[in-house]
Structure formats: structure tokens, C-alpha cells
Amino acid sequence: MGKKSKKKGARKEKLQERREQQLEQLDRYDSDGGSNEVVDNRRDREYFVGDRVWFKGDRAYYDENNPNSYRGLVHAVDGDFVEIKPLQALIDGIHYTERIPTKTKPPDKFYVFPDFCDMTLRFDVGDKVICKVCDCLIPASVCTFWPIGEFEVKGIPLPAAAVDRVPHYKCEKLLKDGYGPPCVPALKDCDSFIRRKPASFRFEVGDTVTFNSMRAWGNTAAASNQLQRCALEWTEGKIILVDVCEEGVDYAVYECSFKVAGKKYTCLIEKDDDEHIAPIGAEPRRRLIEAIEQDCSRDHFNYLTRHFHIDITAFRDLVVTKAIEFASYNALT
């Protein structure tokens, strides 16, 4: 009985130590912005049986098109080595493990790092998406899930904490612009890194619209200056191009023309929602409901209600119903 109590006590101490280590890493996240570059300065992680991990092991078993072949659970711990059972082995119901050292890292042949990622992703292979890379919007097609080989290719330190980034997708550019590699990674599965490429559009070429000047990009320096001068206003314009997908140009849903003092300028609109662009003369309540369906920001809801003097109390039940139906937290708050 005494031996069992000692073992339980030792395990509790190890778990507590790991929790403290994770808290230290989270504290550092405030200063490093979640950058993997500071991983080498963190304490070595201790692994336990049952831990989820990513690993690079036997090349005969590894399949870059099947993440379950290099994602698994720690089956046993032996000093500076861990025995890992791949998820694919669990799925197949076979007993197969790989022995991986815990102190190695790329470009070493074998290495392991903790898996804090979700098990599911929003997109499938072949889906058309828009990737944001170095502030550029790139139209692409998903070709691979969880491309951990990017750590070797890019020379990025392995993650050690939940706040560190792991490539979720590898996407092939729809346009081969001749600059950089033909594929780009998406480091997180959220709209700030990757979002679905629109398959349909609210407006057509020739439609007259009003667009948010603060959220439009001028195609020239002169156009940008004009947009900045009217940054607190919505500007009337005309759709001249839909689904803007050209070499050397950031992806945009629309290209619009607008006039200032008789001169014509053009700009790009990034998103097809009421926060960025709306039809001329649209009924204010209709715009508010559409903005809820599109999950626009709380600031935009405030703008609509103030600018158009919308009395929400007159149709509060409809607003709440729409907010719940379309999971618009911003509308509920």
C-alpha cells in the first residue's frame, strides 16, 4: 500500500511540474507572440504515457498524405526515448510502435513534439481557399493536412507549448506567379490564416454599391489617398470586376470604380459582407439582419443602428432568433 501511494505521489508531482511548465510558457507567450523561435530557450518537455504527439520516424511507415501515420499516442517512456503508437495503427487494430528519441530535432532523422491541435479541420483536400501569407491574400487549393515536414523545409523550431504554431494545411497556389514556392502553409485553421474562397457573389458587374472606405484597398497611391481622406464615410461606386484573381494582385471579391471631384479611381474589396460592401438604398433593417447572418462585427452593428436610427426593441425577437441561428455572438452582446 505504501509503494502504491509513493508512485501516485510521484506521478502527481510530475503532473504538477508539467502544469507549471505550461503556465510558464503561456506567460512567455505575451512577450514572444506565440513565436516558435523562442522554443529552444524553453525547458525540455517530459512525456507521459497517453500523451498525444507528432513524430517523424520510420520512413517506410510514414505517409505525408496520411497524418495518422505520423500522429499518435505515447505508449511507453524509456529515459530519453518514447514508444509511440501511430493513430493509424490504432485504427487498423494492429500492434505497432516506433521508438523515437525525445532530445532530437530537425534535421535529425527522428524527432517528436507534443500535439495540442484539434482532431478535426474545417477544409478538405481540393477545397478552394484564400490563404494569408505575409499580409498577402493568395487564392489556393488545399492539397495536404498537417504538413509537419514544413518545420524541416522552413527551418522552424519544433513547438513545445499549446501556443506555438503547427502548420494545419499545405495549399497549392491557383496562380503560379513565379515568386516563391508553388505551395503555401496555413499555420492555423482560422479566418485570419485561411478562409473559404467564395463560390457565389452578392453583386454582379455593373451593380451600383456603397463600400466601406476604411476597408477598401486603392489600386494606386492616388486611390489610396482618396480613400484615406474619406475614411469615416461609405463611398458610392460601381462593380467592374468580380472574383479578382490575377497574378501579382491580392485576391479580392470585387473591384470597384468610384469618382472624386470628377476623377475616376478603382479599389479592391476583400470580403463580400455588409461590413465591407452593401447595395445602394438598401432598407436599414434588412441590412442589419443580413449583417447578423454574415456574422459581422459588433462595431458594424453599432454603426448600422446609430447611423440609420434603428430601434431594435421593435423587432428584438427576430434579431435574437437570427443571432442564435447563425451563431452570431457579436449580435447577442
Side-chain angles (χ1 to χ4, degrees), residues 19 38 59 78 159 251 256:
R19 292 190 189 100
V38 299
R59 299 289 172 173
D78 180 14
Y251 176 81
C256 296

Side-chain angles (χ1 to χ4, degrees), residues 47-55 71-86 95-102 112:
Y47 291 95
F48 294 87
V49 172
D51 280 355
R52 289 169 46 196
V53 292
W54 300 99
F55 68 96
R71 190 178 198 180
L73 301 175
V74 174
H75 183 70
V77 180
D78 180 14
D80 290 341
F81 290 84
V82 288
E83 291 282 343
I84 301 172
K85 188 161 190 174
H95 181 68
Y96 175 82
T97 61
E98 293 197 32
R99 184 177 173 85
I100 309 293
T102 60
V112 61

Side-chain angles (χ1 to χ4, degrees), residues 21 24-44 105 155-161 163-165:
Q21 179 181 349
E24 289 176 9
Q25 292 166 345
L26 287 170
D27 288 339
R28 294 181 188 180
Y29 179 62
D30 292 334
S31 58
D32 65 43
S35 172
N36 298 31
E37 300 298 330
V38 299
V39 168
D40 287 338
N41 297 325
R42 295 172 179 161
R43 287 163 42 186
D44 289 333
K105 57 186 177 181
I156 304 171
L158 296 178
V163 295
D164 295 326
R165 295 173 179 174

